[in-house]
Amino acid sequence: MNNIQYISERLWAGNLGNAFVVLSFVSALLSCLAYYLSSKNSSFIKLARIGFNIHGFAVIGIIGTMFFMLLNHYFEYQYVWQHSNTSMDMKYILSCFWEGQEGSFLLWTFWNVFLGMILKRQLKNGEWEIPVMTIFALVQVFLASMLLGVYLFDYKVGSNPFLLMKEHSEFMDLPFVQMGKYESTARGLNPLLMNYWMTIHPPTLFLGFASTLVPFAFAIGALWNKKYNDWQKIALPWTYFCILILGIGILMGGAWAYEALSFGGFWAWDPVENSSLVPWLVMVGAGHTMIINKNKGGSLFTTHFLAICSFLLVLYSTFLTRSGVLGNASVHAFTDLGMTGQLVLYVLTFIFITVALLINDKLFKVSYVVVSLLLLFFGLLYGYKTILLIVWLASSAIITVISYYLYFPKEKDEEALYSREFWMFLGSLVFLLSGLIITYFTSIPVINKLFNTEFAPPKVHVYNVWMIPFAIIIMILIAASQFLKYKKTDPKKFFKRVAYTFVLALFFGLACSIPLYFLTNTEAKGVDTWDLISYSLLFVTGLFAVFANGDYFLMVLKGKVSKSGASIAHIGFAMVLIGALISTSKKVTLPKNIVDKKLTALGKDFDDRESILLTQGDTLPMGPYLVLYKGKKRIGIDVYYTVEYFKLNKENKPEFDFALEPHIQDNPRMGQAAEPDTKHYLSRDIYTHIAAADLNVDTSAKKKNGFGEAKNYVGHVGDTIFSSNALVIIDSLRSNLSKEQYEKNDSALEVTAVLRCVNTKNQSYMAYPKFIIQHNVVIPKEDVQNDLGLKFVFWKINPDDGTIEITMAEKLANNKDFIVMKAFVFPYINVLWLGCLIMAFGTGIAIIERIRKFKVQS
Amino acid sequence: MKKLHIVGIIVIAVAIGVIFVSLKNTSTYADFTEAISNPDKEYHVVGKLDKDQPQIYDPKINADQFMFTLIDNKGVHKQVVLHKSKPQDFEKSEQIVLIGKIEGNEFHANDILMKCPSKYNDNKAQIK
């Protein structure tokens, strides 16, 4: 590294940023230690609080410096260079900030600071301040270390966002870096992130991730203080807050995928999606066991377990998505910043702390700590990391079970079968189990790495098959358990109460789902009868959940909104699942209905089409519509393709219905990205995107009947030439004279190349260009294959090696402007979005209600 | 606690069941040689685009068929028929994962995942 400062380099910004980075790490460490010590000596508490405040200041300082650099185009810095450029719209500057890993870690750190500050005030001088804030500060130590970018014994700790281009190992040797040409080369933002969802989705999601830390910190604090019963009422509003924000964040991601990405849907069971869903599922479980605990006591171990798991799963998913371990398992390409080891260590440390705190016996605890550290050093020094890791994880799991039996307070009475707590507890377990199964599926690349296996990640269908039964169980539990009372309920009354809504749901559910799934075609691939039955069951039980909670809301709670957070949220959740079920399972691929009969005859593969080719000016039927590709226009780097939709009116004449403009972003540095355009109706969406198209807008110069540039090909008989629409095989050469005859006589030699052109339909067309020599003058005679629009000129024979030379030109009309478009109908997808809003509303009410109750109590 | 014990046993049983069932049915990463020896099974084949061989995509005939040649990680070349439209920026891909099986002399893929250099860094993005 050299310390020369070049002209126009603004090193002060990096220096300032780095000062903040170091300050944030040191102050977090200081605060963590001071909080820990203040549990023994209360005089440290002041130092701890100041340390945390300084840490917060430093984090805001880092963020401020980075925004300053981004806004003022300090391209000599790698982060600015990589994630922004001068040609982009500055309204996406926020997306630039969190596009990179360092930025998203910062976002996470920032939210932790934000929540930590609020908690610090809320808990001030209370018994929970010290344990909770120690954990908070410890997590901040780890997060702050992610930005350090220093080397510790050859091992890189963190990735620094204030690295200069000339310091970055990947770029330092590149010529433009050595010449200091930063601005013109700046990479810019990924085109897919230039979307308004991308300015609100990441901060929401990361606030959700950050808020999993609150229940975690309380649970760990409870293990530490051995006060297992006191924290739930303080943590409950926070837990609901986490469920709300994380849930909204996940669904915003779905909305973004639906609007800006072209995979045709809102959910694809992608590792990134899964790893944010799983902590949410587990947190929902934790939220419910906490209510049990508050209302009736008990479920202590499960509450602690779920609250801790949710945060550990956030860490684990950070490891999954940030370490590059997913490799080719995901359509997302993850860059490895060389922090895999650090991330693993991070996850393991918090598992270690949890298990160590669970053990009450001093000797047992010390031996666990010593053995763990020994295993760690042995692993680092001698290898066998996989075996050691598995041994350690397994023994930690066993110790957890043992300490549960030895040390943990347990309920004496068994829960009654007809009690709310029993079924609510069961529901929490179902959430945990489904989360673990998703984690397992998502972790298959990790399993491959650990055990050298070659399992491919499961497909979307596998996830659906496994998750639908869980969803069905959850729907039933959501519907029925509210009608059960805590401790004990009269089963007769219960069944009578629930029966109404169940019969109603069964009636409506079957009336809708039988025609939906058994009387009409469902086109999704690989769906069998069992799937259809499970869809119907989910539909019926989903309706049951909606009806039963509506009943509870209106009849039991008398429509009192402030008390009905749970019922409203449950209705919303059931609607999300129903909307997802219908819109996905009954998704219609519009181009499917226009299959050419001749093509279907060729084989089963041909009727699988999902794209339609639209030539400019031609009108084609597509599903219930007639579609017309009008033309294209270019706005900046986006090329918009106007497609008009017509419907047949009563006189059977096409009538203009609507127009859609899917576009392709032609990003000069990032390549092309198709972005869909969707027509929204109340009952359905018509979703289209361009699969292939010419981006060149200027077509006026092309003459319709002219030929493009001829290309020369050299080959033998039997060789193949490739045109854009056919394989051209040099079948044989025919000559009118033998060589001797030609040499003796003065007559013309005529050699005909027999060209067999096979198009992609496997139809053959012949072309016969001729090579004629008369009086030593070559007069080639071209041949035009009109069906394919190909012109051949056979102009040279090389007697030395027996090759011939042919030029081929393609008709420009072959390239008449066309687009390949995909179009789907998503029925009732608005049920899903409406469900999201209702769920968010219900959860919000529950938070307010819990805060109110908590204030009344204290 | 008896009921909860039963519940616990069911939970563990389901978890173990999922592991076994899914591992049995899941497709695996493989090279062409393995896919050829087991033509009925679906595989994930990882490889690179053979840039010397032609890529045939004629949407006029079938917008959902694209043919190219892939070199797998062992260096075996194979003609691939992808039953999808040609992905954007296909030529720029540095690694391709195909999901499909061998039929006759060709590898028929239903799905493709591509990794493009620098385009889709670390953040969420999708190509199918």
Side-chain angles (χ1 to χ4, degrees), chain A residues 82 98-99 327 331-333 335 414-415 440 454 456 459 466 606 609-611 670-672 722 760 814, chain B residues 3 18 23 26-29 42 44 54 59-62 64 85 89 113 115 119-125:
Chain A
Q82 185 120 30
W98 49 64
E99 187 192 40
V331 287
H332 301 106
T335 38
E414 189 181 0
E415 273 103 353
Y440 161 70
E454 292 273 307
K459 289 177 166 181
W466 281 104
F606 282 95
R609 51 174 49 188
E610 51 183 28
S611 318
M670 303 277 183
Q672 302 166 11
F722 301 97
T760 26
N814 276 9
Chain B
K3 275 197 287 293
V18 170
L23 283 190
T26 187
S27 115
T28 52
Y29 288 106
E42 191 176 81
H44 284 53
K60 291 188 198 72
I61 309 232
N62 186 347
D64 288 317
S85 51
D89 286 338
L113 312 174
K115 196 161 272 190
K119 181 177 177 183
Y120 298 108
N121 271 341
D122 50 65
N123 224 316
K124 198 166 168 160

Side-chain angles (χ1 to χ4, degrees), chain A residues 44-259:
Chain A
F44 280 104
I45 190 92
K46 257 199 164 147
L47 181 67
R49 287 175 190 154
I50 293 169
F52 199 81
N53 287 342
I54 295 174
H55 171 70
F57 167 74
V59 168
I60 289 165
I62 300 172
I63 293 171
T65 314
M66 273 181 66
F67 268 113
F68 185 84
M69 283 160 52
L70 279 166
L71 283 166
N72 293 296
H73 305 301
Y74 282 22
F75 291 118
E76 59 269 34
Y77 290 95
Q78 181 261 335
Y79 199 87
V80 180
W81 181 88
Q82 185 120 30
H83 302 291
S84 75
N85 59 30
T86 44
S87 65
M88 58 171 280
D89 199 333
M90 289 314 274
K91 70 180 174 203
Y92 298 121
I93 196 81
L94 286 168
S95 306
C96 297
F97 173 71
W98 49 64
E99 187 192 40
Q101 300 208 8
E102 297 89 346
S104 49
F105 275 127
L106 262 175
L107 191 58
W108 189 4
T109 315
F110 170 75
W111 284 128
N112 274 349
V113 167
F114 176 78
L115 296 175
M117 290 291 177
I118 297 176
L119 268 179
K120 193 158 70 82
R121 274 185 72 125
Q122 189 192 348
L123 304 175
K124 199 167 184 180
N125 296 327
E127 58 174 337
W128 290 102
E129 184 190 2
I130 291 164
V132 168
M133 291 312 292
T134 311
I135 302 298
F136 252 82
L138 182 62
V139 170
Q140 291 306 87
V141 172
F142 275 93
L143 280 178
S145 76
M146 295 292 182
L147 301 175
L148 280 178
V150 295
Y151 283 84
L152 205 72
F153 311 113
D154 288 349
Y155 189 78
K156 191 179 161 206
V157 179
S159 174
N160 189 311
F162 296 106
L163 219 52
L164 287 164
M165 287 295 283
K166 64 177 183 191
E167 293 167 351
H168 195 280
S169 56
E170 216 176 288
F171 301 111
M172 60 202 298
D173 298 328
L174 297 179
F176 71 85
V177 174
Q178 289 172 346
M179 282 147 65
K181 280 188 184 167
Y182 299 124
E183 183 163 333
S184 56
T185 52
R187 188 102 35 101
L189 187 63
N190 182 334
L192 296 174
L193 302 185
M194 294 191 196
N195 182 291
Y196 61 95
W197 282 117
M198 264 299 131
T199 51
I200 53 171
H201 161 61
T204 315
L205 193 68
F206 275 98
L207 177 57
F209 283 153
S211 56
T212 59
L213 177 56
V214 183
F216 172 80
F218 273 104
I220 293 286
L223 295 183
W224 181 8
N225 281 354
K226 316 287 172 217
K227 282 183 181 161
Y228 304 111
N229 266 315
D230 299 344
W231 60 276
Q232 282 87 346
K233 62 175 186 290
I234 317 173
L236 200 52
W238 287 101
T239 310
Y240 285 176
F241 175 77
C242 172
I243 292 170
L244 172 71
I245 299 295
L246 193 54
I248 292 177
I250 293 166
L251 289 164
M252 274 179 180
W256 168 67
Y258 184 63
E259 237 168 64

Side-chain angles (χ1 to χ4, degrees), chain A residues 551-593:
Chain A
D551 182 24
Y552 193 82
F553 170 50
L554 292 173
M555 295 302 158
V556 181
L557 300 169
K558 312 282 182 223
K560 223 179 163 190
V561 175
S562 63
K563 299 273 177 202
S564 311
S567 297
I568 295 171
H570 286 163
I571 292 174
F573 184 56
M575 284 174 71
V576 168
L577 289 189
I578 293 175
L581 171 74
I582 301 179
S583 63
T584 312
S585 65
K586 295 303 286 183
K587 171 176 159 187
V588 177
T589 310
L590 283 175
K592 206 157 192 162
N593 304 332

Side-chain angles (χ1 to χ4, degrees), chain A residues 758-776:
Chain A
V758 186
N759 70 7
T760 26
K761 277 188 212 168
N762 228 355
Q763 292 162 322
S764 285
Y765 299 91
M766 304 307 288
Y768 306 99
K770 289 183 167 69
F771 174 87
I772 300 166
I773 298 186
Q774 198 163 19
H775 312 300
N776 282 329

Side-chain angles (χ1 to χ4, degrees), chain A residues 488-535:
Chain A
K488 220 171 175 181
T489 318
D490 180 7
K492 262 188 194 164
K493 272 187 187 163
F494 164 71
F495 282 117
K496 221 175 160 184
R497 192 76 189 74
V498 172
Y500 295 117
T501 45
F502 182 72
V503 170
L504 201 67
L506 194 67
F507 176 74
F508 275 107
L510 291 180
C512 294
S513 65
I514 288 175
L516 266 181
Y517 294 116
F518 295 99
L519 302 179
T520 52
N521 283 332
T522 298
E523 63 170 36
K525 280 176 203 166
V527 172
D528 56 24
T529 320
W530 282 113
D531 292 322
L532 294 177
I533 292 172
S534 71
Y535 295 166

Side-chain angles (χ1 to χ4, degrees), chain A residues 661-672:
Chain A
E661 289 193 332
H663 72 277
I664 291 184
Q665 192 181 116
D666 181 22
N667 193 308
R669 291 216 177 75
M670 303 277 183
Q672 302 166 11

Side-chain angles (χ1 to χ4, degrees), chain A residues 624-626 646-655:
Chain A
Y625 298 101
L626 291 166
F646 297 86
K647 261 199 157 157
L648 291 176
N649 62 11
K650 280 169 196 151
E651 289 103 54
N652 226 11
K653 281 195 182 124
E655 202 171 82

